[in-house]
Amino acid sequence: METPQRFYIEDAGQFDGQVVTIKGWVNHKRSSGNKIKFLVLRDGTGLMQSVLFQGDTTPDAMTDFEKLTQESSVEVTGKLRKEPRSPGGYEMGVISLKIIQIAEPYPISPKEHGVEFLMQNRHLWVRSNRQWAALRIRSEITRAIHEFFEKRNFIRFDAPILTPSACEGTSTLFGTQYFDEKAYLSQSGQLYGEVGAMAFGKIYVYGPTFRAEKSKTRKHLTEFWMIEPEVAFADLNDTMLLGEQFIEHIVQTVLANRAPELKILERDLSQLESIKGPFPRISYDEAVQILERRGVPLPWGDDFGAPHETALGDEFGKPVFVHHMPSQIKAFYFKQSDTVGGPGVEGTGRYALGCDLIAPFGYGEIIGGGQREEGVDVLRRRIAEHGLKEEDYSWYLDLRRYGSVPHSGFGLGLERTVAWLTGVEHVRETIPFPRMLNTLRP
Ligand code: 4AD
Ligand code: MG
């Protein structure tokens, strides 16, 4: 007999009525007397029920079934048929079964486990249904991101991970020895992205970024992935429009392509379906008034904390841009303005031309960005005011010496975006191997 074709569960629809082989792992099993046995298999693309029926299935397979433990690896051959009660909508009538390995007693059983235990077993935990679904959605988001920029002819521009200086302030830098000098893991690819914008017009940086965040919150990782578009001849409003279209594309793509995974996660789809532009845009000053009214006052000049972000999300029920933040809480590179909506005026610069996008339902700031200072003298002053060394930024200042133009961009935090779209509570479940204050293993 010819060896039956191997198939993946997600493609089952193409093999209805055919004898095929699945290679996978045992999710769970149960027997109904001696004659019928059920084996639920996973193959990485989904779950499928297979049925061993005395008479249809080889006697060897009927005996081997008894040896199977959770996560044992197998090759199972049988006939596919539609079965609405099977996950995925297809079921296999088993003919034969080959054991690849009998798994030792698996530490993660269907019973409840504590998060600490699951985190220590992250290398196994990712096989579990909800983790699997969340990481499939992460991958879909990644695909949607590249698709968005490709359609708009952005060039992907890779920034270095090992850097000699800070982008987002010196308090969260991870230092490392770089031969005879000190280096830091990149907090953001932005400064290098600006180089790309001047060379290619519109670029995006996509890479890991690092922050020595000592806080334990559900939104902070020490290693996370950021997507940072940067566009020459673009102002603050252009950047908010790009961010809005970007988020809309990501959300709608995930809804279109990952409905089964969202269902596993019990995500309320109506919340996501309504995520369409235009998103509300409010100034920081307006935000302060809203927060006052909602009973979570914020002294002018302070950064938002979790309760403030949640309140702003509740106010609008969809992502909201907050722009014109107090300069004192923003990085050195922001273009400044003396008034909300006014042009950047050299001088006091009460406001930074920043824009943060706050996701609804307490998922917090998913985008941080804004318009960059394009004047060399102001920028040199800002570098000094922030206690940074001018020589570390000489190459960055060159961008302002040789054909400086207004330009803007933003950074999207991938894990916070995944958390929001999947509805998982904590960013640790949105990345295969989270790095946090007390988490370096596995
Ligand atoms: O607001 P941030 O710090 O902005 C920047 O780094 C800019 N240089 C980006 C740019 O304009 N090119 O970070 C951007 C986003 C945040 O909105 C958040 O979504 C995410 O990165 N982020 C984190 N995500 C997980 N854990 C952390 N510790 C994060 N810090 C920032
Ligand atoms: Mg920010």
Side-chain angles (χ1 to χ4, degrees), residues 356-369:
D356 287 355
L357 187 68
I358 314 291
F361 305 107
Y363 287 96
E365 180 202 312
I366 52 172
I367 279 181

Side-chain angles (χ1 to χ4, degrees), residues 120-336:
Q120 283 162 7
N121 285 286
R122 184 67 179 161
H123 53 295
L124 302 175
W125 191 24
V126 291
R127 301 180 188 188
S128 299
N129 219 14
R130 286 178 60 87
Q131 302 306 311
W132 173 87
L135 293 178
R136 300 243 309 173
I137 291 172
R138 178 188 170 104
S139 172
E140 183 69 30
I141 292 172
T142 297
R143 213 185 52 72
I145 287 168
H146 291 305
E147 181 181 73
F148 178 86
F149 289 120
E150 254 162 45
K151 272 194 193 147
R152 284 166 178 72
N153 289 329
F154 277 60
I155 291 293
R156 181 168 171 182
F157 191 73
D158 299 318
I161 305 296
L162 290 165
T163 59
S165 49
C167 176
E168 295 298 322
T170 48
S171 65
T172 60
L173 281 173
F174 272 119
T176 180
Q177 199 58 33
Y178 191 73
F179 304 110
D180 291 335
E181 56 179 319
K182 185 98 180 161
Y184 305 97
L185 300 182
S186 176
Q187 298 168 305
S188 157
Q190 178 198 319
L191 305 187
Y192 296 96
E194 291 179 51
V195 172
M198 299 308 140
F200 301 96
K202 43 186 179 179
I203 62 92
Y204 70 110
V205 178
Y206 191 126
T209 44
F210 305 85
R211 307 229 177 141
E213 305 272 10
K214 292 242 170 70
S215 56
K216 278 196 200 172
T217 81
R218 66 186 188 96
K219 289 178 232 174
H220 288 91
L221 296 166
T222 55
E223 177 177 312
F224 60 100
W225 288 69
M226 225 203 288
I227 296 87
E228 301 182 85
E230 192 71 32
V231 183
F233 300 101
D235 65 14
L236 181 63
N237 286 323
D238 297 326
T239 268
M240 286 194 273
L241 183 62
L242 184 71
E244 180 178 295
Q245 292 170 342
F246 184 45
I247 295 297
E248 190 175 309
H249 176 75
I250 293 171
V251 174
Q252 297 307 323
T253 304
V254 168
L255 275 170
N257 299 339
R258 293 294 167 207
E261 287 82 357
L262 291 168
K263 194 171 164 218
I264 290 171
L265 294 159
E266 296 160 296
R267 185 70 172 98
D268 177 353
L269 297 189
S270 65
Q271 274 181 13
L272 297 180
E273 278 154 5
S274 66
I275 305 298
K276 297 220 168 100
F279 298 156
R281 296 178 185 182
I282 58 169
S283 67
Y284 174 91
D285 289 357
E286 288 170 295
V288 166
Q289 284 172 10
I290 292 170
L291 293 170
E292 180 80 45
R293 168 160 57 71
R294 295 196 71 104
V296 271
L298 180 77
W300 196 96
D302 279 11
D303 214 343
F304 298 137
H308 309 110
E309 291 178 344
T310 305
L312 289 174
D314 291 347
E315 173 84 9
F316 296 98
K318 55 152 102 179
V320 50
F321 271 115
V322 180
H323 55 79
H324 285 82
M325 294 81 161
S327 280
Q328 66 203 67
I329 50 169
K330 300 310 266 183
F332 74 94
Y333 52 72
F334 279 94
K335 189 172 178 68
Q336 297 182 332

Side-chain angles (χ1 to χ4, degrees), residues 48-64:
M48 197 184 67
Q49 173 167 282
S50 64
V51 188
L52 291 80
F53 191 68
Q54 201 174 43
D56 294 350
T57 308
T58 61
D60 278 356
M62 293 304 271
T63 354
D64 280 348

